[in-house]
Amino acid sequence: MYRIDWQPDESSPLPLYLQIKTYMKRKIENGEWPVGNRIPTQRQLAEALGVNRSTVVTALQELIADGLLEGDGRRGTKVVNNPWSLLTSRTPPDWDSYVQAGWHRPNLPTIQTINETEFQAGMIRLSTGEPSPALYPQPLLGEVFGRLASRIHTLGYEEPRGLLPLREQLSRHLQALGIVASPASILIVSGALQALQLISLGLVKPGATMITESPSYLHSLHVFHSAGVQLAGLEMDSEGIRMRGLSELKPQPNRMLYTIPSFHNPTGIVMSERRRVELLRECERLQLPVIEDDVYRELWLDAPPPPPLKARDPSGLVLYLGSVSKTVGPGLRTGWIAGPEPVIRRLADLKMQTDYGSSSLSQWALTEWFERGFHEEHLNRVRIVLRQRRDDVLDMLQKHLSGVAVWHVPTGGFYIWLRIVPSVSMNALFTRALQEGILFNPGTVYDSLGGPYIRLSYSFESAERLNFGLRKLAGLIRELSSRPR
């Protein structure tokens, strides 16, 4: 769906409908709205432009009369020409057919709406999974970047595995977690999501099976789907993945397991030490490689989680994913994979084919960040702030949503997994909340059969905005549950 980033000027002597017509004609003329593509509906245009629907209809009718648009009944309005094609009688390429032909699947409509709406001014983001701007370590990063000017002598490409001094620092960092990983067995990537993309493209055959927790991280599910990988979900309990599903399997090739054992996204569950031992034992029996996504590990609030699966992995069964996106900031676009050297070599080669390496500037900055001990200093502050935010939100939930939702107290990470008690349409709740300026991630984006769940994040919004948003959300739930169905 096109994003409208302009509004007509009500003080202009030019009528609103002509301003809208000119804006849309320019979009078509510049090729931003290509021939063959559908434009937003009349209602969507009216809402985005802040005008009456009749004003939009008038602008559209003029563009239809000019031969640029064509009405298509209930399916909306489509671009059929641009001014250049009308002058030359040449038909532009049908970009819509190309868009539909791409092998990488588009996001679900709900996820597209979330991605487009998150950055609207004033929107209260109840589910955003990133640190608050208030947690940005400006003094520490200011010192880091101040020192880089004399340290960096080039911003050229780095070697395939990534900047060696950073991999040396990460090797020491992982050793503190019990993970033995030399710099040669570490690959620098542009976040954990790129790690999953590389694994999907480089290690997994189309038609393979990826076993995941159910529910699971929404973007990982999409990456696997688009790579032609089949998903098999395993239910969870309070200790993590239930073992019954794994214990019933027989060894076979072309399978992997993807897990988020520490402060799981979206549920916040921490896999117990006992369950981790059982899981690795079963995976060894099945010769089942494991992708351990551990990006939330360091965000413990009450006590550190059990050691990573990778710390118990002398046979090289586990690929370990880490990142600074959740601890320092996603804008650094830096994460890592630790695993057997042949695997790292394969993924490094694929990464070079994809983007020729992650940002050199970010890699040098993080090298300095770890060398100077800023990471632990920053984490200590983050844990204090997040602990207070979690406790504040738990009080808000008790005040506003007691009786209409149930939840468990997370011991770390960013998320509380809310289950809505009354029978309400989650699509209707999502839509009504957006109309009120409130955005949340419904459970269905983490599991198509996810049921009446909401992923609530206490990491991003301020306490005041969270309190306002949760109060409004509670009111909407009660309003929708009281309607006849």
Side-chain angles (χ1 to χ4, degrees), residues 231-270:
L231 296 180
L234 294 180
E235 292 183 353
M236 303 176 70
D237 59 23
S238 61
E239 293 187 73
I241 292 178
R242 289 181 174 173
M243 296 306 302
R244 185 176 65 181
L246 271 184
S247 61
E248 294 173 350
L249 296 178
K250 290 182 169 50
Q252 72 176 57
N254 222 23
R255 280 192 310 208
M256 299 184 81
L257 182 143
Y258 170 73
T259 179
I260 311 171
S262 298
F263 313 119
H264 177 264
N265 181 8
T267 67
I269 291 171
V270 177

Side-chain angles (χ1 to χ4, degrees), residues 242-297:
R242 289 181 174 173
M243 296 306 302
R244 185 176 65 181
L246 271 184
S247 61
E248 294 173 350
L249 296 178
K250 290 182 169 50
Q252 72 176 57
N254 222 23
R255 280 192 310 208
M256 299 184 81
L257 182 143
Y258 170 73
T259 179
I260 311 171
S262 298
F263 313 119
H264 177 264
N265 181 8
T267 67
I269 291 171
V270 177
M271 188 181 293
S272 68
E273 188 156 7
R274 178 176 69 92
R275 188 65 56 82
R276 293 175 192 236
V277 172
E278 293 173 348
L279 179 69
L280 274 180
R281 185 169 59 239
E282 283 300 316
C283 289
E284 288 169 355
R285 176 185 69 82
L286 294 167
Q287 296 182 305
L288 179 66
V290 178
I291 305 169
E292 180 179 13
D293 189 340
D294 215 22
V295 299
Y296 296 96
R297 154 167 294 278

Side-chain angles (χ1 to χ4, degrees), residues 145-454:
F145 283 107
R147 292 173 59 88
L148 289 186
S150 60
R151 182 167 187 177
I152 298 177
H153 303 293
T154 176
L155 282 178
Y157 298 115
E158 305 299 342
E159 60 180 286
R161 287 179 174 86
L163 183 68
L164 178 58
L166 176 57
R167 288 186 286 120
E168 290 172 339
Q169 288 299 317
L170 290 173
S171 179
R172 298 185 185 96
H173 178 68
L174 294 175
Q175 189 172 13
L177 302 177
I179 297 173
V180 177
S182 69
S185 65
I186 297 173
L187 170 66
I188 306 301
V189 291
S190 299
L193 183 58
Q194 188 188 45
L196 296 173
Q197 291 171 328
L198 294 174
I199 290 168
S200 297
L201 295 173
L203 303 180
V204 184
K205 295 179 181 179
T209 299
M210 184 68 68
I211 301 170
T212 71
E213 290 132 339
S214 181
S216 188
Y217 172 47
L218 65 92
H219 291 299
S220 66
L221 299 180
H222 191 74
V223 165
F224 299 142
H225 269 307
S226 291
V229 175
Q230 306 298 314
L231 296 180
L234 294 180
E235 292 183 353
M236 303 176 70
D237 59 23
S238 61
E239 293 187 73
I241 292 178
R242 289 181 174 173
M243 296 306 302
R244 185 176 65 181
L246 271 184
S247 61
E248 294 173 350
L249 296 178
K250 290 182 169 50
Q252 72 176 57
N254 222 23
R255 280 192 310 208
M256 299 184 81
L257 182 143
Y258 170 73
T259 179
I260 311 171
S262 298
F263 313 119
H264 177 264
N265 181 8
T267 67
I269 291 171
V270 177
M271 188 181 293
S272 68
E273 188 156 7
R274 178 176 69 92
R275 188 65 56 82
R276 293 175 192 236
V277 172
E278 293 173 348
L279 179 69
L280 274 180
R281 185 169 59 239
E282 283 300 316
C283 289
E284 288 169 355
R285 176 185 69 82
L286 294 167
Q287 296 182 305
L288 179 66
V290 178
I291 305 169
E292 180 179 13
D293 189 340
D294 215 22
V295 299
Y296 296 96
R297 154 167 294 278
E298 296 173 310
L299 297 174
W300 54 267
L301 304 181
D302 300 323
L309 298 171
K310 186 65 177 171
R312 298 180 170 91
D313 178 39
S315 58
L317 190 71
V318 179
L319 299 179
Y320 184 82
L321 312 187
S323 169
V324 294
S325 292
K326 308 302 181 183
T327 52
V328 185
L332 288 167
R333 305 311 307 134
T334 307
W336 50 89
I337 310 173
E341 286 190 37
V343 174
I344 296 301
R345 188 162 53 248
R346 163 65 172 146
L347 297 180
D349 175 67
L350 184 57
K351 179 169 170 59
M352 292 296 282
Q353 297 177 52
T354 305
D355 64 6
Y356 224 73
S358 298
S359 163
S360 294
L361 183 61
S362 290
Q363 292 185 68
W364 276 110
L366 285 172
T367 300
E368 186 78 18
W369 175 264
F370 281 105
E371 279 181 0
R372 294 177 62 78
F374 288 166
H375 194 60
E376 281 303 319
E377 180 181 341
H378 173 63
L379 283 174
N380 289 335
R381 172 176 172 256
V382 167
R383 292 185 188 117
I384 292 171
V385 174
L386 284 182
R387 189 180 300 119
Q388 185 61 56
R389 284 170 166 262
R390 176 202 61 182
D391 294 345
D392 289 345
V393 168
L394 290 172
D395 289 341
M396 296 173 199
L397 290 174
Q398 190 63 40
K399 179 179 179 181
H400 300 307
L401 282 96
S402 180
V404 297
V406 293
W407 58 88
H408 297 288
V409 177
T411 58
F414 288 166
Y415 310 119
I416 298 174
W417 192 230
L418 290 180
R419 181 171 67 83
I420 308 304
V421 175
S423 178
V424 299
S425 163
M426 294 304 292
N427 284 336
L429 181 60
F430 179 78
T431 302
R432 285 286 290 114
L434 276 183
Q435 293 169 352
E436 297 291 334
I438 299 166
L439 176 65
F440 66 81
N441 292 11
T444 49
V445 301
Y446 304 94
D447 183 345
S448 60
L449 303 176
Y453 288 90
I454 291 173

Side-chain angles (χ1 to χ4, degrees), residues 442-468:
T444 49
V445 301
Y446 304 94
D447 183 345
S448 60
L449 303 176
Y453 288 90
I454 291 173
R455 188 187 80 171
L456 174 64
S457 168
Y458 47 82
S459 67
F460 184 76
E461 291 284 13
S462 67
E464 294 75 18
R465 286 169 62 82
L466 280 169
N467 186 63
F468 179 83

Side-chain angles (χ1 to χ4, degrees), residues 93-108:
D94 181 4
W95 280 112
D96 195 48
S97 66
Y98 287 89
V99 169
Q100 299 300 324
W103 66 267
H104 201 287
R105 301 183 186 184
N107 267 322
L108 294 172

